[in-house]
Amino acid sequence: MKLPPGRWDHFTVLTVETDNQPFNTISDAGLLAGGNQLLVQSAHGWEWLAFTKAVLIGPNQWQLSQLLRGLGGSQIVDIPGGAQIVIVDERLRRPELALDETGVELSWRPGGGTAQTYKYQAKAAGPWPVGHLQAQRQNSGLKLSWSARAPNISNHLDRDGSAYEGVYHVRLYRYGQLHENHIVRQTHLRVSPRYDLAEIAEIDINGSFGPWGSIPLPAV
């Protein structure tokens, strides 16, 4: 199975400390079958990732590497020191909630512990961030392109999503100032070479925006 460029991270090594939780090195096939998955918290939310290599370096301390990033539509982020992690396995359960409970403050008692108030936002039901942002020189201009990402297009592990119909908001900047907005129904746009940054987000049928992706634009 061919994986898109940028999703495999062969350089980042995570050093984690756990409470008597062992990790194992697995094959690429084992990872793609759902093994060795983590949620990692950052200032931008939670990234869902997986790893193939685990090395014990001290009591309850591990180095995790050979990562597959941005699973489940999560954003690939810079992971800060001291970030919290959650192990994704059969112990992690998805709550069964009715549609009208979205956005309502509910009382939760995780694992039989102390009750907490939490508002379920159903973020996974919204648009995913676009992927594979590219800017290519064409004659005297630039072609900006990207790929759709959604649960029904196989998480982009083996196809590019070009048949997926979506609506996208494109913002074009020059020297930090917003100059143009475009609403498009295709995954590409020809833009002027005078801009130096583009941002793209998908818009769903309710008008909600997915996370913004950005790419610097090369000078022509």
Side-chain angles (χ1 to χ4, degrees), residues 24 32 45 52 58 71 81 86 106 126 138 140 156 159 161 167 178 182 187 191 200 206 218 220:
N24 296 301
L32 294 174
T52 62
L71 299 178
V86 175
L106 302 172
Q138 284 194 344
S140 59
H156 273 283
R159 50 186 170 142
V167 179
L178 176 63
H182 297 270
T187 56
V191 302
I200 303 99
N206 298 314
V220 175

Side-chain angles (χ1 to χ4, degrees), residues 92-217:
L92 187 64
R93 302 293 183 88
R94 184 185 298 273
E96 299 294 333
L97 294 173
L99 183 62
D100 59 4
E101 292 178 301
T102 301
V104 178
E105 287 193 352
L106 302 172
S107 181
W108 300 72
R109 192 183 299 276
T114 304
Q116 303 176 34
T117 300
Y118 179 75
K119 185 182 295 185
Y120 178 64
Q121 299 291 344
K123 292 182 179 180
W128 287 16
V130 300
H132 306 165
L133 274 70
Q134 298 182 55
Q136 298 176 322
R137 299 178 182 179
Q138 284 194 344
N139 299 324
S140 59
L142 292 170
K143 181 183 179 182
L144 182 64
S145 63
W146 59 93
S147 294
R149 298 179 67 212
N152 61 336
I153 50 177
S154 190
N155 202 21
H156 273 283
L157 293 181
D158 54 4
R159 50 186 170 142
D160 64 7
S162 58
Y164 176 81
E165 293 185 0
V167 179
Y168 306 92
H169 188 166
V170 181
R171 301 192 297 207
L172 300 173
Y173 294 82
R174 180 174 174 82
Y175 300 133
Q177 298 295 317
L178 176 63
H179 282 262
E180 286 189 22
N181 287 276
H182 297 270
I183 304 297
V184 298
R185 293 183 177 274
Q186 69 275 359
T187 56
H188 57 85
L189 179 68
R190 186 175 175 82
V191 302
S192 167
R194 68 191 186 96
Y195 299 118
D196 54 29
L197 181 74
E199 293 182 331
I200 303 99
E202 186 176 355
I203 310 171
D204 68 13
I205 59 174
N206 298 314
S208 298
F209 285 73
W212 289 92
S214 65
I215 183 172
L217 302 179

